[in-house]
Amino acid sequence: MFVLSIAHLAHDTFSAILAPLLPLLIAKLGMSLSVTAFLDITRRIPALFNPFLGVLVERTGSKYIVIFTPAITALSMGFVGLANSTVILFILLFVAGVSAALFHVPSPVMVKNVAGNRVGTGMSFFMVGGELARTLGPMLVIAAVSAWGLEGIYRLIPLGLLASLVLYLKLRNYQSPQHLSKPKEKGDTRKILKQHRFFFIALAGFILFQAVAKSALTLYLPVYLTGQGSSLWYAGISLSVLQFFGVVGTFCAGNLSDRIGRRKTLLLSSVATVLFMGLFVWSNNIIPLAVLGLFLLASGPVLLAKTQDIATNMPTFMNSMYMFINFGVSSVAVFAVGLLGDKLGLQTTYIIAAFFCLGTIPLAWLVTLEQGQETPPEFPG
């Protein structure tokens, strides 16, 4: 579980460097906020194929995908600073998106396989790796820009290559327990989609109402702060503060959901997110921003654990559907925030995002209506 969390950290560190680079890329290439929204959407487009990737991984295994994707993501994101046109930038981000989709489909299932009857805690460890990456990534890339300039961030690529080498040494002997479970039946995917359609609809609704605020804060916060006269360093530090407290919330949420239940944990994070999002918009103070990060990002491991709680013989496909919904719905939210930012300004957009968060409260109850298995099945070996 620790190795998989480190894999998540290594991969998402490079995925997290886009937001702090946006002010520099906007200045270099003359992009609007709407165009920058499409940059993030381009990274998310491959997630639309997650259900197909899930079926593919079910048949072929997952360890080498998890091993090599950090290196691929590092290569594509490392060359972003050298892009001299939006076309090249879009291509690099699309490759990074394909790599990210391939990594995030099988890895949570691997975590479930080793977490025993504490799936929520396992997902917290895993998600901590991702959130910690979004804390360290901005600081790492801002330091690189300060030392080498925007065009010099390719010097970070060896870190991703080293991560894949370490993962190869640690995971090369991993065997998926899914090969020991009962064989798949023809039509499993259609049956799963029909049987759990209400869960998927509620999940999409929850993610949509939350993603507007999350996109405004995690992608556009540096643009918002630098537009108000703050330095790039201060903007990067603010984003790291948000993400750092997101790490704390992510770490605690999964374990808490194992103890008090998924529903109570989601309701707690949803209500607190509404309160502190409103407080941050009103005050623009870094303290409510930090507390907001604690609750805004806490839902991730709980939703992952809830998805894996549902008993099916295709857990990788279930996770691929979660990722498909998550990235697909979030793409819509990213574009909406960028468009609103161009038309109304980011300050007004943040106010709208705060009101949008109210929708997560009833949906936190609806998404946990479907009963999952109490204890994950034991696999031989």
Side-chain angles (χ1 to χ4, degrees):
M1 194 156 56
F2 177 75
V3 170
L4 291 168
S5 300
I6 293 299
H8 202 186
L9 170 64
H11 178 277
D12 282 18
T13 293
F14 284 91
S15 294
I17 69 175
L18 177 62
L21 292 179
L22 278 181
L24 299 177
L25 292 171
I26 289 172
K28 178 181 179 179
L29 301 176
M31 298 180 295
S32 66
L33 291 180
S34 298
V35 173
T36 61
F38 277 111
L39 293 179
D40 198 57
I41 290 171
T42 299
R43 290 197 304 173
R44 298 172 187 268
I45 286 175
L48 298 176
F49 301 98
N50 272 348
F52 304 102
L53 296 177
V55 174
L56 177 66
V57 173
E58 289 276 3
R59 295 174 178 174
T60 61
S62 56
K63 64 180 179 182
Y64 289 111
I65 292 175
V66 173
I67 288 169
F68 291 115
T69 44
I72 297 171
T73 302
L75 285 166
S76 53
M77 294 302 295
F79 288 122
V80 160
L82 295 173
N84 55 12
S85 71
T86 54
V87 173
I88 294 175
L89 191 56
F90 277 115
I91 292 172
L92 289 171
L93 292 175
F94 181 77
V95 173
V98 172
S99 179
L102 286 170
F103 175 84
H104 286 95
V105 166
S107 48
V109 181
M110 294 173 69
V111 172
K112 176 193 175 184
N113 292 337
V114 299
N117 60 358
R118 300 183 67 189
V119 177
T121 302
M123 293 304 172
S124 275
F125 274 100
F126 178 72
M127 292 297 289
V128 159
E131 299 306 333
L132 187 59
R134 282 177 277 280
T135 301
L136 297 178
M139 302 303 296
L140 179 65
V141 77
I142 293 300
V145 168
S146 298
W148 306 312
L150 177 61
E151 288 76 13
I153 63 172
Y154 71 88
R155 292 181 172 91
L156 296 174
I157 290 175
L159 296 177
L161 303 181
L162 179 62
S164 285
L165 176 61
V166 172
L167 289 173
Y168 173 76
L169 297 176
K170 294 294 184 180
L171 297 179
R172 66 186 186 278
N173 295 322
Y174 170 84
Q175 292 294 328
S176 172
Q178 301 312 124
H179 295 299
L180 302 174
S181 62
K182 67 178 183 177
K184 316 287 186 296
E185 301 173 12
K186 184 178 180 180
D188 266 350
T189 55
R190 290 192 295 272
K191 292 177 183 177
I192 289 171
L193 290 173
K194 182 177 180 181
Q195 183 178 357
H196 304 295
R197 62 188 181 278
F198 294 114
F199 168 73
F200 291 133
I201 292 171
L203 180 66
F206 183 93
I207 292 173
L208 175 63
F209 280 101
Q210 187 186 64
V212 174
K214 188 180 290 187
S215 299
L217 289 165
T218 57
L219 183 62
Y220 293 107
L221 185 64
V223 178
Y224 172 69
L225 292 175
T226 54
Q228 290 189 325
S230 299
S231 68
L232 189 60
W233 265 108
Y234 180 80
I237 289 171
S238 298
L239 182 59
S240 290
V241 166
L242 175 75
Q243 298 290 2
F244 172 77
F245 280 90
V247 171
V248 178
T250 298
F251 180 76
C252 297
N255 185 48
L256 184 64
S257 74
D258 282 339
R259 296 175 182 273
I260 69 172
R262 316 289 188 223
R263 178 176 298 171
K264 291 180 180 178
T265 307
L266 278 180
L267 285 171
L268 174 63
S269 68
S270 298
V271 172
T273 295
V274 171
L275 292 175
F276 285 98
M277 181 67 182
L279 187 58
F280 171 70
V281 170
W282 175 71
S283 66
N284 281 331
N285 190 283
I286 200 170
I287 295 177
L289 179 67
V291 183
L292 177 59
L294 187 70
F295 292 102
L296 177 65
L297 304 177
S299 62
V302 184
L303 293 175
L304 265 177
K306 178 59 187 176
T307 303
Q308 290 298 310
D309 282 342
I310 298 173
T312 72
N313 64 341
M314 297 186 72
T316 304
F317 177 73
M318 284 295 292
N319 185 65
S320 71
M321 283 302 302
Y322 166 80
M323 294 298 174
F324 167 75
I325 292 170
N326 186 22
F327 289 116
V329 171
S330 297
S331 297
V332 175
V334 166
F335 176 71
V337 170
L339 190 61
L340 287 173
D342 277 337
K343 299 294 184 182
L344 305 176
L346 284 177
Q347 180 67 33
T348 303
T349 302
Y350 276 31
I351 295 173
I352 294 172
F355 280 102
F356 233 66
C357 286
L358 289 167
T360 61
I361 298 174
L363 284 162
W365 183 76
L366 291 174
V367 81
T368 51
L369 275 179
E370 183 160 351
Q371 297 298 312
Q373 57 196 39
E374 294 298 322
T375 304
E378 294 294 331
F379 292 103

